[in-house]
Amino acid sequence: MKRILILHTGGTISMKENKETGEVNTSDQHPMDELSAMLQGETEIEDEILFYLPSPHVRPEDMLKLGRTIHDKLAKRNYDGVVITHGTDTLEETAYFLDLFVQTRKPVVVTGAMRSSNEIGSDGLYNLLSAIKVASCDEAQDKGVLVVMNDEIHTARNVTKTSTSNVATFQSFQYGPIGITTKRDVFFHHKMTRHDSYPIQQITKKVSLIKAYAGMDGTLIDAVRESGVHGLVVEALGQGNMPPDTVDAMRRMLENDIPIVLVSRCYQGVVQDTYGYAGGGRQLRDMGIIFANGVTGPKARIKLMIALEMTNNPTELQHMFS
């Protein structure tokens, strides 16, 4: 019999809809109430409510607390896997933080729900059951942190929320899910080729995220610099280009030893130094801006926060994002 640890952090999966007002809010009913009977004799479950937070309230400090709790629990007892329930708005960021932080070969699976527990078509209990199946699967080892939603298994690095309300919201553009779940089985059809892990002890760095747009100037970038940030992530245009009026502001930020990581606001493709015009990727890379591939802006921000706890050396940072 497999032994699975479930850590609850809040979110829609633990909420209920008020049938009179339509408002969805926190509930006293534990999402495990119906689950124990379903798994009787199949899986040994130990669960704990770590915190009860809507996911927009989750901070990097909470992610660090969650990661430390996973380490502590795994050190004290021989669990076969860990499942985390989480709100969906920032689920991908917490999952990616844990993917970079947690040091274990055992499966760590994050799941949630798009519909509260008493709504028609509620998906929470089914997603939780699927997540437990994956966490109990020997083949799920050594794959980093996984996100299980709507019968699909995604890597924390690639998955993103794509719809505000659709139960099939979590997708891995360009890469696809690495596996699927059925009522009885778990199937993996991709292998991980790389997994980064960084044993930080604290989160103290402030990193901002901005998105480029047509006609953008350096005003916002200067304001971010003056706010006292330690780093900046920019969702640039296309393959990694910026409007020319932003270049001087980015150069001032670099001159103040504030690293800039560049991703694309496109949801597919990679950033690269193709274009040589003012504000083009070639000029930005030559200035010392770091190009990051395979992650969204919010995830690049998470990684830069973690990276800056270890180094501020531009060469080392570039290597960490390559």
Side-chain angles (χ1 to χ4, degrees), residues 93-274:
E93 290 165 82
T94 295
Y96 188 53
F97 179 96
L98 295 176
D99 189 58
L100 296 173
F101 175 80
V102 173
Q103 322 249 326
T104 183
R105 297 182 60 232
K106 294 181 177 180
V108 177
V109 181
V110 186
T111 192
M114 293 301 291
R115 296 171 183 163
S116 55
S117 59
N118 64 333
E119 286 185 70
I120 295 174
S122 174
D123 56 331
L125 185 58
Y126 185 86
N127 285 339
L128 185 51
L129 280 167
S130 298
I132 292 170
K133 287 179 191 175
V134 175
S136 303
C137 176
D138 293 336
E139 200 177 349
Q141 293 191 23
D142 291 317
K143 287 183 168 58
V145 173
L146 302 172
V147 173
V148 174
M149 297 277 290
N150 199 43
D151 285 331
E152 293 183 339
I153 308 168
H154 297 265
T155 64
R157 176 182 173 86
N158 294 329
V159 75
T160 189
K161 186 175 182 178
T162 65
S163 169
T164 59
S165 57
N166 194 310
V167 294
T169 180
F170 282 94
Q171 304 288 328
S172 294
F173 287 123
Q174 194 161 264
Y175 304 100
I178 66 167
I180 61 171
T181 64
T182 68
K183 288 186 176 181
R184 293 183 176 84
D185 296 303
V186 175
F187 298 98
F188 286 96
H189 48 74
H190 288 305
K191 288 186 178 181
M192 298 288 292
T193 59
R194 172 180 172 179
H195 180 238
D196 300 322
S197 185
Y198 305 104
I200 61 167
Q201 300 301 314
Q202 59 185 356
I203 286 288
T204 61
K205 305 304 181 184
K206 181 180 177 183
V207 176
S208 291
L209 168 64
I210 61 175
K211 176 175 282 192
Y213 52 86
M216 185 178 185
D217 62 18
T219 304
L220 180 58
I221 297 171
D222 281 331
V224 170
R225 173 177 54 81
E226 292 169 3
S227 72
V229 297
H230 301 97
L232 173 66
V233 174
V234 178
E235 290 188 358
L237 308 171
Q239 294 187 43
N241 311 303
M242 292 291 289
D245 288 343
T246 66
V247 172
D248 287 343
M250 287 190 288
R251 186 176 285 111
R252 285 190 288 271
M253 184 164 277
L254 295 171
E255 289 170 351
N256 279 265
D257 295 321
I258 302 171
I260 301 174
V261 172
L262 192 108
V263 300
S264 177
R265 71 179 195 178
C266 301
Y267 62 82
Q268 292 194 74
V270 297
V271 288
Q272 48 194 336
D273 56 352
T274 301

Side-chain angles (χ1 to χ4, degrees), residues 11-29 52 113-124 165:
T12 300
I13 193 169
S14 59
M15 295 182 182
K16 279 191 171 184
E17 180 185 53
N18 185 312
K19 295 303 183 181
E20 294 182 1
T21 67
E23 176 188 29
V24 175
N25 212 326
T26 54
S27 167
D28 294 332
Q29 182 180 5
Y52 239 137
M114 293 301 291
R115 296 171 183 163
S116 55
S117 59
N118 64 333
E119 286 185 70
I120 295 174
S122 174
D123 56 331
S165 57

